[in-house]
Amino acid sequence: AALNLMSAMIRGAMWLLAVATFLTWMGYEMTTAVSVFGVGGVAIGLATQGVLKDVVGTILLVFDEWFDVGSKITFQGVQGKVERFGMLQTKIRLVATGEVMYAPNSLLATAVIISRNDMPTRR
């Protein structure tokens, strides 16, 4: 999926470059259009900053294998069981109350998490 996204982005950039080159060759001034696209790129980057943090957090959690669905963890002082591990957030059912907590993966990737799965069975 990531390879397809990168391929599409490169293909799009190549098309934009080809169109800009063609328009310049036809005699149109491209400095205004380039500056508008630059400002638009900065605006999109700032708008998606939180989502990108969560996606990077997801990648860190997946590759480091801190926990998985069904894991019992302690996060921010509460104990829970991981029910769903999504691209942007993780669904955790709290042990004490049965309530559901949705935690952003960017927060989970930077927090101290105690995993109870590697412990021997308690009696």
Side-chain angles (χ1 to χ4, degrees), residues 7-104:
S7 175
M9 289 174 60
I10 291 171
R11 201 173 321 122
M14 294 298 288
W15 273 106
L16 280 174
L17 184 63
V19 168
T21 303
F22 177 74
L23 290 175
T24 302
W25 181 68
M26 294 295 290
Y28 292 100
E29 186 65 36
M30 293 303 298
T31 55
T32 304
V34 169
S35 64
V36 167
F37 284 126
V39 170
V42 170
I44 290 171
L46 289 173
T48 60
Q49 183 177 5
V51 173
L52 291 176
K53 279 184 184 177
D54 288 332
V55 170
V56 169
T58 302
I59 292 169
L60 289 173
L61 293 174
V62 167
F63 285 117
D64 285 344
E65 297 177 355
W66 291 351
F67 55 84
D68 202 1
V69 174
S71 296
K72 296 174 184 168
I73 63 170
T74 301
F75 168 66
Q76 292 187 341
V78 293
Q79 294 181 4
K81 184 175 182 181
V82 177
E83 289 191 348
R84 189 176 60 83
F85 187 71
M87 184 58 115
L88 300 177
Q89 61 188 2
T90 299
K91 178 181 178 182
I92 303 169
R93 181 151 320 261
L94 303 180
V95 173
T97 62
E99 296 175 321
V100 175
M101 174 175 68
Y102 293 93

